[in-house]
Amino acid sequence: MAKRVRVRAPELIGKGGWINTGDKQLGLAELRGRIVIVDFWTFCCVNCLHVLDELRELEERHRDTVVIIGVHSPKFVHEAEHQAVVDAVERYGVEHPVLDDPELATWKQYAVRAWPTLVVIDPEGYVVAQHAGEGHAHAIARLVEELEAEHEAKGTLRRGDGPYVAPEPEPTALRFPGKALLLPAGNFLVSDTTRHQLVELAADAETVVRRLGSGTRGFADGTADTAAFNEPQGLALLGDGSVAVADTVNHALRRLDPATGEVTTLAGTGRQWWQGSPTSGPAHEIDLSSPWDVAVFGGKVWIAMAGVHQLWAYDPETGTVAVAAGTTNEGLVDGPAAEAWFAQPSGLAATAERLWLADSETSALRWVDLDGEVHTAVGTGLFDFGHRDGAAGQALLQHPLGVTALPDGSVAVSDTYNHALRRYDPATGEVTTLATDLREPSDAVLAGDDIVVVESARHRLTRLRLPEEAVRVESVAHRTRRAATEVAPGRLRLDVIFQAPQGQKLDTRYGPSTRLLVSSTPPELLLKGEGADTDLSRELDLNPAVQEGVLHVSAMAASCDDDEAGGTSRSKTGGEYPACHVHQQDWGVPVRITEGGANRLPLILAGMDQRP
């Protein structure tokens, strides 16, 4: 076995303290003898949520040797609130200790540049691997097996129970509800996300009429009692009276028949979509990626595909699904649907002429017109957010998850991280605040003269009378909490580090196995180096006249079992086949042009950067 590069792991420190440890403080000394996987995440980030799900099987299989430690490293101001992190840990079913690091102290110590990032620490306290983005669970599992064998032989492996302490369950009727729908008879249907169910409430928005789904995380069609969901979110009423359900973590579009309680699958395979997978075809054969909301627009069911920063559409007439807008690049770019960029679209609302959407990571309110053109009403990009009313061009939101069309042609925005309900009026171009003191509102529905808000972190629906006058709120503006990387003007060497997992090699059977896409905000930042190519290293030329901006870097690498090493995986039918995996990550790197700044920017996709 080749000798590994090892670096002493910095201590785990965070001002917010520890969650899921029964109030016990942890340090690396207490974890010595265990294989530690440090997961740098933030709860706004859908890619981080994907990684939480990727790690579940590994966490269960190696529970006596592996300790996963989540280090919560916030992007938005709201994510630096300790109670919000506690809520997120329960909301997403995190069953390992989490360090709340609101000041990004541990993030900086480990030189992390992206959410999510995984760092593997061996039983002697040394960093032996780092991975950014999704798709690395298989590589980490192989490394864990190697480390188990190596340190068992050395006598440095310690087995036993980990430090995780489960929190006490709370007896609320709903638990982190996501979206709501007013049924024709006047009752409400709510996605009870953390309990993996749909719940029908009476017209009072409080009394539980029935629960739909087993309540156990899973993917199964069937009756109201036997069907299974996995963190369902968006709901939309279809023309035949049935309900389309965005079954988010199952990467599927489901159908509920309210009359019988029967649940079936409209689209999706249960597998997550990856770059290179088909983007259109028979709905049951196409992979989806974290569908977050649904709405009927132009005769089709539009899907806010948060996991790949796109809008897709399901056609009930043909039973097909296809990309409708977006390139998979994360950001805010308007224009023709095929060229637009989104960033975790998470809320949809349709009128006759517009499909409104809450684009959460850009803190933006946007819309698609009947010609397929994408427009932005409020929001400027990935790194500006806050709570500011007034003209839409300077107004600010903070990670909105829901949007609701109002009868007068305006829209209400569930401004989730501002704990507010906002309003945008296209006639005047003004943004106002309708209500405050909500707790992580994620959706709202009209019910007569009232608007019923999903207060996700208060585990309830809250009925408000639509106010005639706006609430006055003091303006607050923020930038992302990440510090900018200081780089020198002129030539900058961009190196994406990728080392194929042990026993695998780059998959070149069908051409180049790597892809690198580079762009910038503003576009003037890059004089040279933008665009797509297959080399993971590139020379960039930075414009000295642009003082600061963001480099958008998207990297992908495909690896398969090395036949010479005899690597194979066994299928369920007993046959052997080479196991292939896609590794991908998008970085948005804030940079500041400074004389004497760095002239090399290393971004780790998988492996260790061995250059000084």
Side-chain angles (χ1 to χ4, degrees), residues 252-519:
L253 186 66
R254 314 292 292 283
R255 176 186 181 273
L256 167 70
D257 183 340
T260 64
E262 192 79 14
V263 175
T264 53
T265 298
L266 293 175
T269 62
R271 297 184 301 269
Q272 183 184 339
W273 186 93
W274 289 95
Q275 290 286 352
S277 301
T279 55
S280 64
H284 289 106
E285 300 175 12
I286 303 298
D287 300 338
L288 308 182
S289 182
S290 294
W292 211 275
D293 203 4
V294 283
V296 178
F297 180 63
K300 296 182 179 180
V301 180
W302 285 62
I303 307 167
M305 203 73 77
V308 286
H309 319 299
Q310 290 180 311
L311 303 179
W312 289 42
Y314 167 73
D315 188 338
E317 294 294 324
T318 62
T320 58
V321 67
V323 173
T327 64
T328 74
N329 294 325
E330 184 178 17
L332 193 155
V333 176
D334 290 338
E339 301 173 12
W341 291 23
F342 301 99
Q344 289 180 215
S346 301
L348 298 175
T351 66
E353 297 183 346
R354 293 183 178 184
L355 178 70
W356 292 97
L357 65 121
D359 205 26
S360 62
E361 278 293 285
T362 53
S363 297
L365 172 66
R366 307 176 73 184
W367 85 86
V368 183
D369 63 26
L370 292 173
D371 295 325
E373 197 82 6
V374 178
H375 310 262
T376 297
V378 182
T380 59
L382 287 165
F383 300 100
D384 293 293
F385 56 92
H387 192 150
R388 181 193 287 153
D389 289 333
Q394 56 85 52
L396 294 171
L397 309 169
Q398 187 182 179
H399 198 82
L401 291 178
V403 60
T404 308
L406 301 179
D408 63 358
S410 65
V411 291
V413 180
S414 296
D415 194 6
T416 310
Y417 288 4
N418 280 328
H419 311 299
L421 189 67
R422 312 287 292 283
R423 176 178 179 264
Y424 168 68
D425 186 351
T428 64
E430 292 287 312
V431 175
T432 54
T433 297
L434 296 177
T436 58
D437 194 32
L438 301 167
R439 186 68 185 171
E440 293 193 20
S442 55
D443 196 20
V445 292
L446 289 172
D449 294 330
D450 297 336
I451 189 164
V452 177
V453 180
V454 180
E455 275 199 274
S456 187
R458 283 200 178 112
H459 319 293
R460 69 188 188 190
L461 303 191
T462 298
R463 187 183 296 269
L464 304 173
R465 181 57 53 93
L466 272 173
E468 295 181 3
E469 295 185 6
V471 177
R472 292 186 62 85
V473 177
E474 184 177 350
S475 295
V476 180
H478 299 289
R479 292 277 291 172
T480 181
R481 302 178 66 84
R482 290 175 61 190
T485 299
E486 294 191 350
V487 294
R491 297 181 66 181
L492 176 70
R493 174 77 175 184
L494 172 65
D495 288 324
V496 173
I497 314 307
F498 178 76
Q499 296 159 5
Q502 184 73 23
Q504 293 206 327
K505 63 181 180 180
L506 290 174
D507 179 13
T508 57
R509 292 173 298 166
Y510 308 110
S513 60
T514 56
R515 178 177 180 268
L516 179 64
L517 176 67
V518 180
S519 62

Side-chain angles (χ1 to χ4, degrees), residues 195-233:
R195 293 201 177 123
H196 315 294
Q197 290 181 314
L198 306 181
V199 177
E200 184 178 345
L201 301 178
D204 63 6
E206 295 181 10
T207 305
V208 175
V209 175
R210 60 175 172 165
R211 295 183 178 274
L212 301 140
S214 65
T216 300
R217 187 189 294 272
F219 187 14
D221 292 340
T223 66
D225 294 328
T226 62
F229 299 98
N230 198 341
E231 297 183 25
Q233 288 281 349

